[in-house]
Amino acid sequence: MSISDRLPDYPVNSDFVRKLKSALEGGDEARLRDLICADVRHVDAVIELANDDWMKDPSAPLPPGVLVGLWTLEYKRELTTPLCIAAAQGHTACVRHLLGRGADPDASPGGRGALHEACLGGHTACARLLLQHRADPDLLSAEGLAPLHLCRTAASLGCAQALLEHGASVQLEGGAGRDTPLHVAAQRCLDEHARLYLHHGARVDARNGRGETALSAACGAARRPDEHARCLRLCALLLRRGAAADARDEDERSPLHKACGHARPSLARLLLRHGADAHALDYGGASPLARVLQTAACAPEAEPQLTVQELLNHGSPTVWPDAFPKVLKSCAVVPAVIEVLFNSYPQLRVSESWKEVIPEEVFQMHQAFYRSLFALAHTPRCLQHLCRCAIRKSFGRKCFSLVPLLPLPETLQNYLLLEPEGILH
């Protein structure tokens, strides 16, 4: 019988567990220390913190995990040990006390050991104590995750350093996604973790279960604005260490597809200047430009026109003219995107019927721009615009690098690079 199948020493309805939960919920460190260091009968006691086995009480309402008809039952039981609780809470003195009494550092009745818990909480001192008492640095949890996979916050950098000093493998694949520690760092924008793993020999282009490299994972994760700078540093680090800018995942999406899907111009620029292919198509036939156009209306605050500019200035094909009304319909709320895209054509026939796809409130909000657009319905583009298109065609995918070398005022260079002005001429 496995440890998780045996009766716990302290079941969920016991007086001890009620006191323990009260101390945890109230943040009562002194009471918690007394309970786990003095009141338990033995150091490796199994404690049951939760048990939602509704089968024990047939009159109980079915939990959401039960799909009536399909009979998919989910039974959640949370088992732990005093050492796991102490490590999860960062109580170094308790961890030292329990280890001194012979607690097993690798006991994991609930699926995670004390070292996993210490790393999840970013408790470096606890992690070092456990490792000094021969905790297995590569112990796998019930989900197949090693402690390094649980170093998921900036505070866990010390834990990651301690694990590597004690022989943890930086190449281990973990969990259902088969992520390496470098993938985990990339997904969470932990640039210092990534630097540490690369220093210890992590393979920069290792693939996870979805065919993603760390660079691809970093570009595909949604970011808060305050994380963008860290993500950019991490991606620049990976590229300097030899990451392939065009590595495709199982859906044939490149890092550029993913960066454009989140409308992140600085990241798109970084990838493009490291050779990412602006022409690339994924399995669904979408280009990076299509990805940012799909996102534009959902994230106008990300200034998607800047990403569109980067792509077009690196030689991305523009939208097929007949598809322009669809773009107008989906991106109408971001007229700067329409302007940049419209100016990438030497001449595009404007139809009065396009007005029908623009919501009235959007038209009224951006009247100046849309009036200038429909004023071109029966008028050819100006000579200056045609000259711009001729120069851009000649420079091709090197527009971004050649235009700044031209002996022209900055305003004209910006014009050549499709900088939006708010109206069309």
Side-chain angles (χ1 to χ4, degrees):
M1 181 172 62
S2 72
I3 193 169
S4 60
D5 292 330
R6 83 182 200 199
L7 291 175
D9 298 284
Y10 297 98
V12 69
N13 57 0
S14 66
D15 184 56
F16 174 84
V17 171
R18 281 194 291 271
K19 292 176 181 177
L20 181 64
K21 285 186 172 183
S22 175
L24 286 169
E25 291 166 4
D28 189 341
E29 294 188 15
R31 182 63 177 139
L32 182 63
R33 183 171 58 251
D34 289 342
L35 284 167
I36 64 178
C37 292
D39 289 10
V40 291
R41 288 188 290 271
H42 60 88
V43 289
D44 287 330
V46 176
I47 301 167
E48 185 179 46
L49 290 181
N51 188 336
D52 66 359
D53 183 6
W54 65 274
M55 293 290 285
K56 290 180 179 178
D57 182 5
S59 64
L62 296 183
V66 178
L67 304 180
V68 179
L70 294 179
W71 290 97
T72 301
L73 309 181
E74 183 180 344
Y75 166 34
K76 181 180 179 182
R77 187 186 195 195
E78 185 179 349
L79 301 176
T80 188
T81 65
L83 187 60
C84 286
I85 294 173
Q89 297 298 313
H91 295 324
T92 311
C94 287
V95 171
R96 184 180 291 108
H97 171 80
L98 293 167
L99 290 169
R101 288 179 56 195
D104 179 1
D106 289 335
S108 53
R112 288 201 302 253
L115 192 52
H116 291 102
E117 300 291 358
C119 291
L120 262 178
H123 303 307
T124 302
C126 292
R128 287 195 177 278
L129 265 175
L130 290 161
L131 289 163
Q132 288 161 11
H133 282 77
R134 301 184 181 280
D136 181 356
D138 284 334
L139 180 71
L140 296 182
S141 70
E143 296 174 322
L145 300 173
L148 267 183
H149 293 117
L150 299 182
C151 292
R152 297 172 175 174
T153 63
S156 68
L157 181 62
C159 296
Q161 289 171 325
L163 287 164
L164 292 169
E165 288 167 12
H166 284 79
S169 171
V170 79
Q171 313 292 7
L172 271 181
E173 297 178 353
R178 289 171 39 206
D179 291 318
T180 67
L182 186 59
H183 283 98
V184 174
Q187 290 158 1
R188 288 163 176 77
C189 212
L190 300 173
D191 53 324
E192 291 302 320
H193 285 64
R195 192 182 309 278
L196 176 68
Y197 299 154
L198 290 167
H199 178 72
H200 281 80
R203 294 191 299 272
V204 73
D205 276 338
R207 305 274 182 158
N208 64 13
R210 298 173 295 281
E212 296 175 310
T213 62
L215 179 64
S216 179
C219 293
R223 304 287 180 209
R224 301 190 309 269
D226 61 313
E227 294 178 322
H228 288 176
R230 282 210 325 270
C231 180
L232 198 60
R233 287 199 303 271
L234 185 146
C235 291
L237 169 67
L238 294 171
L239 289 162
R240 285 198 305 272
R241 295 298 183 91
D246 250 342
R248 307 294 188 89
D249 66 13
E250 63 184 6
D251 295 318
E252 282 296 303
R253 286 183 178 163
S254 67
L256 184 59
H257 278 99
K258 296 180 180 185
C260 291
H262 292 294
R264 288 153 65 191
S266 54
L267 187 50
R269 182 185 308 117
L270 176 69
L271 294 166
L272 287 161
R273 295 189 183 184
H274 279 81
D277 184 5
H279 295 245
L281 301 179
D282 64 17
Y283 268 143
S287 67
L289 180 61
R291 295 279 290 162
V292 69
L293 293 176
Q294 290 163 4
T295 304
C298 302
E301 70 285 350
E303 298 185 290
Q305 70 273 13
L306 300 180
T307 306
V308 174
Q309 267 184 277
E310 288 294 341
L311 290 167
L312 293 171
N313 289 332
H314 283 79
S316 169
T318 193
V319 175
W320 184 251
D322 289 348
F324 193 84
K326 292 182 180 178
V327 176
L328 182 61
K329 181 178 182 179
S330 64
C331 300
V333 295
V334 196
V337 167
I338 304 299
E339 180 182 353
V340 171
L341 195 61
F342 189 84
N343 281 334
S344 66
Y345 302 88
Q347 182 75 36
L348 188 62
R349 186 184 297 275
V350 178
S351 169
E352 290 288 339
S353 65
W354 291 1
K355 288 182 181 178
E356 298 171 10
V357 304
I358 305 173
E360 180 60 28
E361 64 274 15
V362 172
F363 187 92
Q364 293 302 325
M365 191 181 303
H366 305 288
Q367 259 194 73
F369 172 76
Y370 284 115
R371 288 191 184 283
S372 72
L373 171 64
F374 291 111
L376 296 173
H378 307 291
T379 307
R381 298 302 300 270
C382 66
L383 182 59
Q384 180 173 289
H385 170 72
L386 297 178
C387 289
R388 166 169 62 184
C389 291
I391 292 171
R392 288 180 59 81
K393 182 177 180 181
S394 175
F395 286 174
R397 65 181 62 194
K398 293 185 178 180
C399 275
F400 77 97
S401 61
L402 295 181
V403 167
L405 300 179
L406 293 174
L408 295 172
E410 186 178 355
T411 52
L412 278 178
Q413 290 182 0
N414 289 339
Y415 180 81
L416 289 172
L417 292 172
L418 303 177
E419 188 72 20
E421 301 173 18
I423 57 172
L424 292 164
H425 303 285

